[in-house]
Amino acid sequence: MVKSSSRLVRLLLVAELLVLGHGFLPLAARAEAVPPSRIRPGWGFDWRHPDRAACREITPAVLPYCSHCREVPNAYGIAIDAQSCYLVPKFEYMIFPTAEGCEHGLQKFKSGAP
């Protein structure tokens, strides 16, 4: 199931406000910023929470909340290159260039196949 990113953006903003309200430094402030030119929008799922994992659109509006991005060639063995990016503490999204690629990666991830 592919969902809109507006709920994700709201979740990220609320999480950021909660973190700031408790006096913690947000992850983006502690980590070296990833150049925006290296982070690509697309479709992704939070692989740290497999019970809730669903493909969501990762729009340019979400990209400022990304940090610690890294390239993942041949993600999940499906011959599609992806990026793995932290989005506020405790969320890490595997981001694919297309919705179809995300769905394929998500199915492979959920099946536990190498």
Side-chain angles (χ1 to χ4, degrees):
M1 169 188 272
V2 176
K3 298 181 181 178
S4 168
S5 68
S6 61
R7 185 172 176 195
L8 176 62
V9 171
R10 284 194 303 270
L11 173 68
L12 293 172
L13 291 174
V14 168
E16 190 77 17
L17 290 172
L18 289 173
V19 169
L20 289 173
H22 286 90
F24 299 109
L25 287 174
L27 180 63
R30 292 191 312 257
E32 182 178 330
V34 176
S37 62
R38 294 194 57 218
I39 306 170
R40 298 181 302 271
W43 294 83
F45 61 88
D46 181 10
W47 66 266
R48 287 191 169 199
H49 300 95
D51 55 323
R52 301 187 302 234
C55 287
R56 303 178 189 285
E57 185 176 13
I58 307 298
T59 66
V62 175
L63 298 182
Y65 296 96
C66 294
S67 66
H68 291 303
C69 288
R70 61 183 171 85
E71 296 293 329
V72 182
N74 192 25
Y76 299 108
I78 60 172
I80 300 174
D81 295 343
Q83 288 185 323
S84 179
C85 296
Y86 286 97
L87 289 120
V88 299
K90 299 185 183 177
F91 294 96
E92 188 169 359
Y93 273 69
M94 187 67 71
I95 303 172
F96 296 85
T98 65
E100 295 79 19
C102 182
E103 287 294 334
H104 192 71
L106 179 60
Q107 294 309 312
K108 195 79 156 173
F109 168 72
K110 285 188 173 184
S111 74

